[in-house]
Amino acid sequence: MTAQGQPVTAAARPAGLAGQEIPYDLLLKGGHVLDPGQGLNARLDIAVAGGKIAKIAADIPAAQAARVLELRGPGRHVVPGLIDVHTHVASGAIAKGVGVGMCEADAIGVHSGVTTVADCGSVGIANIGVVPAYILPRAKTRIVTLINAGSYGHAMPGPADINSPDDISRRAITVGAEHNPGLIGGVKLRLVGPVFQTAGEAVISTAKAVAKDLGVPLMVHIGDATATDAASAARREELTRFLLEAFEPGDILTHLCTPRPGGVLDRSGSPYPEVAEARANGVTLDSAIGLGNFGIEVARRQADLGLYPDTISSDLTIGSQTFHSLLECMAKFMAVGYSLPDVIKATTANAARALGLADEIGAIAVGRDADLSIIDVVDGDFTFTDTNGQGFTGRYGLVPVRTIKAGEEFAPGWGTHPWGWLPESAPEE
Ligand SMILES: [Zn+2]
């Protein structure tokens, strides 16, 4: 097993070049460049100037850059800046003790190998004002904000964001969007709580109408732990099918592998016919793991069926930040059987497309922002736990080494676990 996250070697610029022009600010030298969205998989140098990718070539002389990172090493890869399409980073938007605790964007972003995060419904129209005022200005990580259909976001005490269809203020959201151009990247709805027993269709239709008003995707959380009796569980199944029919191209289903009532597989383990129809119609299937929505049996069954997630995301909150990371979520999917290129594509090209940003992020290309993640793929015997507490094993761990965001370089934090970034090691036999 290779050591995790060994420091990169930063070479000093060769002496004797005084007066000569240095065209590049930063040179990533000798790295294994992997960008499955573009079919790029080769040892290449990448030069950065003015925050943009300036050149990609087999050999760019070190003397042409002010700073050089030597990236040869076992398992070391340079990939497009990773994108986590489901997180909660509205730290400070919600009073402590009320609702869901939020992460600091940079802790789970640039200091965790991730250059872009989507905040998914942490705030609603009543508290979204904190995002442009306090959260975006202090984050180096790019944040895409999906507004909760419910007015207070995740601030409501108890499990539900919405308790009546009237909790969606369609007019306020429209006015808020008009006055904050570019702020709202999507609408988020959670199919959680008793309202879905009685008025589920009306709530889904209203949230869809709001997203349509704004011209943004609707992301919907499936899987409801509050649906504990058989009748409620059957109702969640019905609503998931209704939802898949209501979705339009670009909309996002999140928690694909949920073991909770309302998942996409019927009781015999077959997907509802609406799933294939939705996918054919351009709906994104996101697998946000979080603390409750990743069943290993569900994930394995879906892999066997070819029902793979388009995007892999973490659903990180303060409660899960010390439990896993986006990289560890990717390692979990590698343990299910997905390849490294599969999980990279799901967190780069596919994730960029899901957020409507495929022309800007998610690819390593000349002229684009230099958003790059340098990661180590570490071989080992690792153990993971699904959100039902069931253990499983995997052969790979992923460790962030450096993050480059628009040309700026960030070192990783300590990691999610007391021992650092790697998943837990399996006990020796
Ligand atoms: Zn979430």
Side-chain angles (χ1 to χ4, degrees):
M1 171 171 141
T2 55
Q4 68 159 303
Q6 318 141 22
V8 290
T9 316
R13 187 157 59 88
L17 290 173
Q20 251 178 278
E21 203 192 328
I22 307 293
Y24 306 124
D25 304 322
L26 179 66
L27 177 61
L28 308 188
K29 195 132 186 65
H32 180 167
V33 176
L34 179 61
D35 178 357
Q38 302 189 96
L40 207 55
N41 187 358
R43 207 163 277 287
L44 290 167
D45 293 352
I46 300 172
V48 175
K52 305 276 183 191
I53 295 176
K55 189 173 182 181
I56 305 167
D59 187 24
I60 302 172
Q64 293 184 1
R67 179 169 165 77
V68 180
L69 299 182
E70 283 291 347
L71 299 176
R72 276 176 207 281
R76 185 151 295 173
H77 291 76
V78 182
V79 303
L82 298 176
I83 302 163
D84 194 340
V85 303
H86 190 150
T87 70
H88 295 282
V89 294
S91 175
I94 294 170
K96 256 189 183 170
V98 177
V100 175
M102 306 287 163
C103 304
E104 290 289 334
D106 287 349
I108 65 163
V110 290
H111 295 300
S112 294
V114 175
T115 53
T116 298
V117 298
D119 181 87
C120 295
S122 303
V123 291
I125 194 58
N127 51 349
I128 198 171
V130 296
V131 173
Y134 300 108
I135 293 168
L136 302 181
R138 69 175 182 184
K140 295 285 191 176
T141 310
R142 182 177 187 149
I143 302 171
V144 178
T145 303
L146 277 64
I147 190 171
N148 199 306
S151 296
Y152 300 94
H154 281 354
M156 299 291 276
D161 302 339
I162 292 178
N163 294 299
S164 131
D166 297 337
D167 287 347
I168 304 180
S169 302
R170 189 169 171 184
R171 195 180 119 66
I173 294 174
T174 308
V175 171
E178 268 170 28
H179 284 81
N180 294 274
L183 175 63
I184 300 176
V187 174
K188 170 78 183 300
L189 174 68
R190 287 202 304 155
L191 297 194
V192 173
V195 71
F196 291 98
Q197 206 60 21
T198 50
E201 288 85 355
V203 172
I204 291 169
S205 300
T206 306
K208 179 62 215 174
V210 170
K212 242 183 143 135
D213 289 345
L214 272 49
V216 297
L218 173 66
M219 175 192 269
V220 180
H221 161 132
I222 58 164
D224 185 355
T226 73
T228 47
D229 60 287
S232 304
R235 179 77 176 122
R236 296 305 178 276
E237 292 164 16
E238 197 173 270
L239 282 178
T240 293
R241 300 180 70 173
F242 175 85
L243 170 73
L244 287 163
E245 296 232 291
F247 269 154
E248 293 185 309
D251 289 332
I252 305 166
L253 175 132
T254 190
H255 304 316
L256 180 68
C257 312
T258 184
R260 291 171 167 172
V264 300
L265 304 181
D266 68 19
R267 282 160 208 204
S268 71
S270 299
Y272 297 117
E274 292 85 355
V275 180
E277 288 164 24
R279 164 164 267 171
N281 196 26
V283 169
T284 296
L285 303 179
D286 174 51
S287 63
I289 288 182
L291 284 171
N293 291 298
F294 181 78
I296 183 64
E297 298 304 339
V298 177
R300 284 183 178 143
R301 172 77 186 145
Q302 291 176 347
D304 288 345
L305 292 164
L307 180 56
Y308 50 85
D310 295 303
T311 52
I312 293 172
S313 61
S314 66
D315 196 9
L316 278 165
T317 57
I318 211 76
S320 53
Q321 206 181 327
T322 51
F323 180 75
H324 67 196
S325 59
L326 179 63
L327 286 168
E328 189 155 334
C329 292
M330 294 159 72
K332 287 177 188 176
F333 277 94
M334 290 179 80
V336 172
Y338 295 96
S339 69
L340 180 68
D342 289 339
V343 301
I344 298 294
K345 193 176 179 190
T347 47
T348 57
N350 290 2
R353 196 180 59 225
L355 297 177
L357 295 171
D359 294 338
E360 292 179 52
I361 57 175
I364 299 175
V366 170
R368 290 207 179 200
D369 273 4
D371 283 7
L372 301 158
S373 298
I374 301 159
I375 61 170
D376 279 352
V377 181
V378 179
D379 299 335
D381 291 314
F382 300 109
T383 62
F384 303 92
T385 310
D386 79 358
T387 57
N388 279 341
Q390 186 176 335
F392 57 105
T393 58
R395 285 174 41 222
Y396 302 101
L398 304 176
V399 176
V401 176
R402 280 288 188 284
T403 309
I404 315 292
K405 176 76 184 80
E408 194 176 344
E409 189 181 329
F410 298 89
W414 173 258
T416 39
H417 303 290
W419 58 85
W421 287 99
L422 281 175
E424 191 167 359
S425 289
E428 303 269 336
E429 300 262 315

